[in-house]
Amino acid sequence: MKFLILPLLLLSSTAFAAEPLTKVEKGEVELLLAEAASKLLYLERDCGKPMDVEKFKELAKIKAFSEGYMTIEGISWERVKKKAHQGYGMLKIEAPLGELCDDYRAQIKGNYRFLKEI
């Protein structure tokens, strides 16, 4: 059994060695993360759900992986932040009184079932 586990571990570690993102992929990942961040900003500011930036960065890896990207290395967090604030502005125009709170809470809970309720 030990002889089987070691090759499988080596195989899995090489299979998950992520290649760097291309310039186009970086833009796609940044846009994907900015959209998620804008919803989290909405939840924080309009729904009373605090957001931890470091936890967001960890969840960003999971979000990118779930969308088919093996890494988020090399993305610009400043661009993500800028786009997220622009997206939040659009959400605020669309639903200025927190009308989207329940929808966004449900989306986050559906995508990240392992998160405990705040």
Side-chain angles (χ1 to χ4, degrees), residues 71-110:
T71 184
I72 60 170
E73 296 301 316
I75 66 165
S76 169
W77 287 105
E78 283 304 311
R79 278 195 296 268
V80 171
K81 183 178 175 180
K82 182 180 176 180
K83 291 176 185 177
H85 284 280
Q86 290 171 343
Y88 169 72
M90 297 304 292
L91 293 174
K92 192 66 176 166
I93 290 169
E94 181 183 333
L97 301 175
E99 299 93 339
L100 298 173
C101 292
D102 292 336
D103 290 342
Y104 291 160
R105 279 191 199 112
Q107 284 179 17
I108 289 172
K109 201 61 178 167

Side-chain angles (χ1 to χ4, degrees), residues 12-114:
S12 67
S13 66
T14 57
F16 288 112
E19 297 210 8
L21 295 171
T22 65
K23 188 174 182 176
V24 171
E25 289 173 327
K26 285 180 189 177
E28 292 170 351
V29 171
E30 289 169 1
L31 193 58
L32 177 75
L33 298 180
E35 180 184 343
S38 65
K39 291 177 182 179
L40 289 174
L41 282 171
Y42 187 88
L43 282 170
E44 180 179 58
R45 294 177 181 174
D46 297 277
C47 309
K49 292 290 183 182
M51 177 178 69
D52 182 328
V53 173
E54 290 307 311
K55 286 183 183 176
F56 174 76
K57 287 184 177 181
E58 290 300 314
L59 290 174
K61 294 176 187 175
I62 296 169
K63 176 71 173 169
F65 185 75
S66 72
E67 296 290 329
Y69 300 97
M70 299 303 285
T71 184
I72 60 170
E73 296 301 316
I75 66 165
S76 169
W77 287 105
E78 283 304 311
R79 278 195 296 268
V80 171
K81 183 178 175 180
K82 182 180 176 180
K83 291 176 185 177
H85 284 280
Q86 290 171 343
Y88 169 72
M90 297 304 292
L91 293 174
K92 192 66 176 166
I93 290 169
E94 181 183 333
L97 301 175
E99 299 93 339
L100 298 173
C101 292
D102 292 336
D103 290 342
Y104 291 160
R105 279 191 199 112
Q107 284 179 17
I108 289 172
K109 201 61 178 167
N111 290 330
Y112 305 104
R113 296 183 190 281
F114 53 86

